[in-house]
Amino acid sequence: MIKFLLNQTEYQLRDIDPNTTVLDYLREHLHFVGTKEGCASGDCGACTVVVGEPCDDKIYYKSINSCITPVGSLHGKQLITVEHLKQGKQLHPVQQAMVNCHGSQCGFCTPGFVMSMFAYRKNNVRPERQSVIEALGGNLCRCTGYKPIIEAAMQMYRSPLEDQFSLAESSVVEKLKAIRQQQATAELSAAGKTYFAPDNVAALADILLKYPQAKLVAGGTDLILDITQFLKEIEVLVSTSRVEELKLVEETESAIELGAAVTYIEARQALIAQYPDLHELIDRLGSRQIRNQGTIGGNVGNASPIGDMPPVLIALGASLVLRRGDESRQIPVEDYFIAYKKTALQDSEFIERIIVPKAKPEVQFRAYKISKRLEDDISASCGAFRLQLDDGLVKSIDIAFGGMAEIPKRATHCEQALIGQPWNDSTVRNAMIELEKDFTPLSDFRASADYRLKVSQNLLYRLYLELQSSAEQMRVTHYG
Ligand SMILES: Cc1cc2nc3c(=O)[nH]c(=O)nc-3n(C[C@H](O)[C@H](O)[C@H](O)COP(=O)(O)OP(=O)(O)OC[C@H]3O[C@@H](n4cnc5c(N)ncnc54)[C@H](O)[C@@H]3O)c2cc1C
Ligand code: FES
Ligand code: FES
């Protein structure tokens, strides 16, 4: 059974098709139609709702795309929709600020914006313009324009923080903790389909041995599009999102170890502390809603040629701990990708952990994402570079790209042209030509093959230029 709080009321789900999304559950089953469907693919933000999760004695509020979230993932969480904000006739301060700033015209996008703003308001004591823009990057508006909406997000801070959610916070924490303790594996079975959400890794391994055909789901930001866009039916879904061991971020002497179900938002701080340059890539990966839900395990697991983290992990020399039943093995990330969407995973095996070596002072790291839009856009090319110089010579270099081949891949010819050579303009230009031997990219709606190759060559040149002078001059990182 799946148990969650809809605002403050406990709901139990027993007979709902586990392929149902939270959006469809809200609109079709509960007739809560304030939450809108724009794209059903996580792109527009019209379906944004907020989930509350207990964190010590507080609730942490996350904006998520309900259109790509399976209903079973609500287990042990609080679901808040736009319907829950108003108190009697009194609008919530977030809604009132939208009215005051004329932040809505046709209104279709408004509930989604309001929910993203609500999550921001609950989690931030003070507004900061750039982080407001970051929080709203996954919400699209086709008629109002963003200026009044951003203004509303700044103005909502004029009212005090205390609201009905703060008053109920401690009782919600207690209720959610109680739900979480009741079942080791939450389960939903209906319409010939099943959703399992175990809370420990041994149970996860057992379920996968029993159901080798099962599909693992972490954040669902990739997999659930199979249901909403390709109209597939998934018979057995096994969620990693409750598995305690897979939610850990641990630091050893030599590495950062990320459980496979750690989200981007949860991994961000530990990764950026080691590799400050990852800041831009992580903050531009999807939208706030996607980063709240999506995991690095899922980014590797889906084996997409255009995923952003695989080239980063390959260049950093990261490895994966794979587990099947009681047995584990460790492989380099680059050996995980075999062919288009084909991986080294065996039946019933899963990614347990991702081991990222710590930074070393003598080694430089850069990651560059090329996409048409700054926020919430898939890369046309994504390049990652790890470089060590010794007395002006290239001692070692690791280069990997996404978007350039059927799998995320190392640029071996390019690397060989650099190793042992002086780090200067002519060596770098020669290595740029060698990149043509590494990749024969495709043309698609994101970019032509020529553009992909050219821009990727230029990313190596950007690395060279950035290491000569200040990084700020080379990149557009926000629109201000
Ligand atoms: C609007 C939008 C924008 C996006 N933008 C970006 C972007 O900018 N860059 C980018 O790289 N991606 C992007 N994505 C893709 C997606 O969000 C990421 O790949 C994300 O990291 C997937 O993680 P998840 O936890 O949601 O995976 P899920 O959807 O839960 O799973 C993805 C795949 O991985 C498998 N899997 C999950 N966990 C494991 C595990 N532990 N072991 C083995 N296999 C596993 C699943 O079975 C599934 O096949 C975007 C998606 C959307 C919808
Ligand atoms: S409906 Fe567009 S993001 Fe969900
Ligand atoms: S107000 Fe019409 S889409 Fe935003």
Side-chain angles (χ1 to χ4, degrees), residues 119-181:
Y120 183 88
R121 179 70 182 96
K122 297 302 284 179
N123 295 328
N124 295 278
V125 182
R126 269 176 296 281
E128 196 268 308
R129 192 180 155 81
Q130 189 48 42
S131 66
V132 163
I133 292 173
E134 184 264 328
L136 301 181
N139 293 83
L140 301 181
C141 175
R142 67 186 178 126
C143 43
T144 303
Y146 298 103
K147 210 170 164 218
I149 299 174
I150 293 168
E151 187 51 33
M154 304 299 284
Q155 276 203 19
M156 68 186 171
Y157 278 81
R158 289 186 185 167
S159 305
L161 177 63
E162 190 151 279
D163 59 9
Q164 68 270 34
F165 302 99
S166 345
L167 296 175
E169 193 164 3
S170 51
S171 100
V172 168
V173 169
E174 291 313 311
K175 286 182 194 169
L176 293 179
K177 284 186 176 167
I179 292 176
R180 286 169 176 228
Q181 279 162 10

Side-chain angles (χ1 to χ4, degrees), residues 103-110 113 140-144 149:
S104 178
Q105 285 191 24
C106 80
F108 194 83
C109 68
T110 309
F113 270 104
L140 301 181
C141 175
R142 67 186 178 126
C143 43
T144 303
I149 299 174

Side-chain angles (χ1 to χ4, degrees), residues 26-173:
L26 283 169
R27 292 183 60 89
E28 313 276 327
H29 294 252
L30 299 181
H31 307 295
F32 271 46
V33 292
T35 308
K36 306 296 182 217
E37 178 175 77
C39 62
S41 60
D43 289 292
C44 74
C47 66
T48 304
V49 295
V50 168
V51 289
E53 294 190 45
C55 180
D56 300 325
D57 57 348
K58 293 267 171 219
I59 294 288
Y60 181 69
Y61 298 92
K62 287 182 182 175
S63 55
I64 63 159
N65 296 121
S66 62
C67 68
I68 49 172
T69 304
V71 72
S73 75
L74 292 176
H75 186 79
K77 296 178 186 163
Q78 180 189 26
L79 173 62
I80 302 170
T81 72
V82 72
E83 282 88 351
H84 301 123
L85 298 195
K86 205 168 137 193
Q87 287 272 276
K89 292 196 167 164
Q90 183 79 35
L91 290 179
H92 190 276
V94 175
Q95 295 170 305
Q96 191 58 53
M98 281 291 259
V99 174
N100 296 349
C101 296
H102 306 285
S104 178
Q105 285 191 24
C106 80
F108 194 83
C109 68
T110 309
F113 270 104
V114 163
M115 295 316 290
S116 288
M117 288 161 62
F118 169 74
Y120 183 88
R121 179 70 182 96
K122 297 302 284 179
N123 295 328
N124 295 278
V125 182
R126 269 176 296 281
E128 196 268 308
R129 192 180 155 81
Q130 189 48 42
S131 66
V132 163
I133 292 173
E134 184 264 328
L136 301 181
N139 293 83
L140 301 181
C141 175
R142 67 186 178 126
C143 43
T144 303
Y146 298 103
K147 210 170 164 218
I149 299 174
I150 293 168
E151 187 51 33
M154 304 299 284
Q155 276 203 19
M156 68 186 171
Y157 278 81
R158 289 186 185 167
S159 305
L161 177 63
E162 190 151 279
D163 59 9
Q164 68 270 34
F165 302 99
S166 345
L167 296 175
E169 193 164 3
S170 51
S171 100
V172 168
V173 169

